[in-house]
Amino acid sequence: QLQASGGGLVQAGGSLRLSCVASGNIAGINVMGWYRQASGKQRELVADITSGHSTIYLDSVKGRFTISRDVAEKTGYLQMNGLKPEDTAVYYCHAVLTDGTGVPVALLGQGTLVTVSS
């Protein structure tokens, strides 16, 4: 399972760091990342990081958000700087991993709310 944390209320221009910890019978984590869904909008992919540390970002967060991971701790991070009111959303951690039996598994964690006030 995935456990996300780090959301909260911040003023525009501020920073937050989201964390996502994977637990269970895990052989490897291929991809970790974050989706977000704002009220009344579709879910969108914010950032992903692969096992080789390749990253992709939503255009609107490039230069402000940084995704990273700690392989040993099975943890992913999303550092969000220069937050804007339009970043307000529920952020969901996701992962594509291989379990202990070699089966690929896609997981979506519970959301954590990020609210940016103007």
Side-chain angles (χ1 to χ4, degrees), residues 16-40:
L16 285 173
R17 188 174 83 152
L18 306 182
S19 299
C20 175
V21 181
S23 61
N25 186 16
I26 299 170
I29 300 175
N30 304 315
V31 180
M32 289 191 86
W34 300 87
Y35 287 93
R36 70 184 182 187
Q37 186 165 20
S39 180

Side-chain angles (χ1 to χ4, degrees), residues 19-116:
S19 299
C20 175
V21 181
S23 61
N25 186 16
I26 299 170
I29 300 175
N30 304 315
V31 180
M32 289 191 86
W34 300 87
Y35 287 93
R36 70 184 182 187
Q37 186 165 20
S39 180
K41 295 187 177 181
Q42 289 189 331
R43 186 176 297 172
E44 58 186 359
L45 180 66
V46 177
D48 266 352
I49 184 166
T50 70
S51 56
H53 295 272
S54 295
T55 57
I56 59 170
Y57 292 95
L58 182 68
D59 282 348
S60 62
V61 308
K62 287 180 180 177
R64 299 188 296 122
F65 291 11
T66 302
I67 190 169
S68 61
R69 60 187 287 178
D70 183 324
V71 176
E73 297 297 325
K74 298 184 179 62
T75 302
Y77 303 98
L78 185 67
Q79 178 67 42
M80 305 185 294
N81 298 327
L83 283 160
K84 303 176 180 180
E86 52 264 43
D87 295 317
T88 295
V90 178
Y91 285 69
Y92 298 89
C93 173
H94 87 102
V96 178
L97 53 85
T98 302
D99 72 12
T101 67
V103 174
V105 178
L107 296 176
L108 184 68
Q110 94 287 2
T112 184
L113 177 62
V114 172
T115 304
V116 185

